[in-house]
């Protein structure tokens, strides 16, 4: 009898938590929302930087273990004009060895979860979902600040049952 009471009491609470969590999903924020609505639902952005055409770009990085980084374009009138998930396979493929700079990659993928500096190079990494698997996307930069290459390292612990 006690178990039934716990289930009866817990189920509505778990359902409410699930509904509220869905409301706070970055994908639920659509262009046309206000900046106040954005901060009310998602909190303070992890980074704010000037946008090329005016206004600002607000970044929400869900790391270090999260696999999403969202970028919201907010105009001077404090209206959300765009919402982009940065850590997609399509965007990962846009990093070009010998051409992409640190600034290019930062703009393309958002803030990395980790930066490691070596004597003559630097690596940046993001946790990503690649196909059905989880892994690390690592970009290697030379001393000139240009990407020398990248690796995708599968996270085997995520793939085991």
């Amino acid at each position: 009898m006690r178990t039934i009471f716990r289930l009866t009491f817990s189920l509505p609470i778990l359902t409410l938590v699930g509904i509220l969590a869905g409301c706070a999903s970055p994908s639920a924020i659509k262009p046309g929302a206000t900046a106040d609505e954005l901060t009310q639902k998602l909190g303070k952005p992890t980074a704010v930087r000037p946008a090329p055409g005016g206004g600002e770009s607000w970044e929400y990085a869900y790391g270090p273990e999260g696999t999403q980084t969202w970028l919201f374009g907010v105009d001077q009138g404090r209206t959300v004009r765009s919402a982009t998930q940065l850590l997609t396979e399509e965007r990962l493929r846009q990093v070009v060895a010998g051409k992409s700079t640190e600034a290019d990659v930062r703009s393309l993928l958002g803030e990395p979860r980790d930066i490691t500096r070596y004597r003559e190079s630097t690596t940046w990494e993001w946790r990503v979902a690649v196909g059905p698997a989880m892994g690390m996307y690592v970009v290697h930069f030379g001393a000139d600040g240009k990407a020398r290459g990248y690796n995708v390292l599968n996270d085997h612990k995520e793939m085991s049952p």
Side-chain angles (χ1 to χ4, degrees):
M1 185 66 148
R2 211 169 183 188
T3 304
I4 292 173
F5 174 76
R6 283 185 188 150
L7 287 174
T8 304
F9 182 74
S10 299
L11 191 58
I13 290 174
L14 291 174
T15 302
L16 180 61
V17 168
I19 290 169
L20 291 175
C23 292
S25 171
S27 61
I29 306 294
K30 303 294 183 206
T34 66
D36 290 339
E37 291 171 326
L38 181 61
T39 55
Q40 186 176 48
K41 291 182 179 178
L42 301 182
K44 183 180 174 186
T46 52
V48 176
R49 55 184 186 258
E56 297 175 325
S57 295
W58 292 17
E59 185 176 305
Y60 287 85
Y62 293 92
E65 296 302 318
T67 59
Q68 294 188 7
T69 296
W70 284 83
L71 189 69
F72 294 92
V74 179
D75 67 17
Q76 287 113 340
R78 298 190 43 84
T79 301
V80 175
R81 293 295 172 207
S82 62
T84 307
Q85 207 302 72
L86 300 181
L87 298 178
T88 64
E89 289 186 52
E90 178 184 340
R91 292 179 76 88
L92 298 177
R93 284 191 223 107
Q94 292 179 31
V95 175
V96 179
K99 182 177 179 194
S100 298
T101 65
E102 289 181 355
D104 295 337
V105 174
R106 174 70 174 81
S107 178
L108 186 64
L109 303 179
E111 185 174 335
R113 75 182 287 272
D114 193 37
I115 297 174
T116 305
R117 299 190 194 292
Y118 302 99
R119 191 166 13 132
E120 296 188 26
S121 65
T122 303
T123 61
W124 291 7
E125 65 181 58
W126 295 261
R127 185 164 173 77
V128 296
V130 181
M134 303 297 261
M136 301 306 289
Y137 182 78
V138 182
V139 179
H140 309 275
F141 294 98
D144 61 355
K146 290 187 180 176
R148 293 190 342 206
Y150 62 87
N151 297 76
V152 178
L153 310 170
N154 286 331
D155 187 348
H156 297 289
K157 72 178 179 186
E158 289 289 331
M159 296 169 61
S160 60

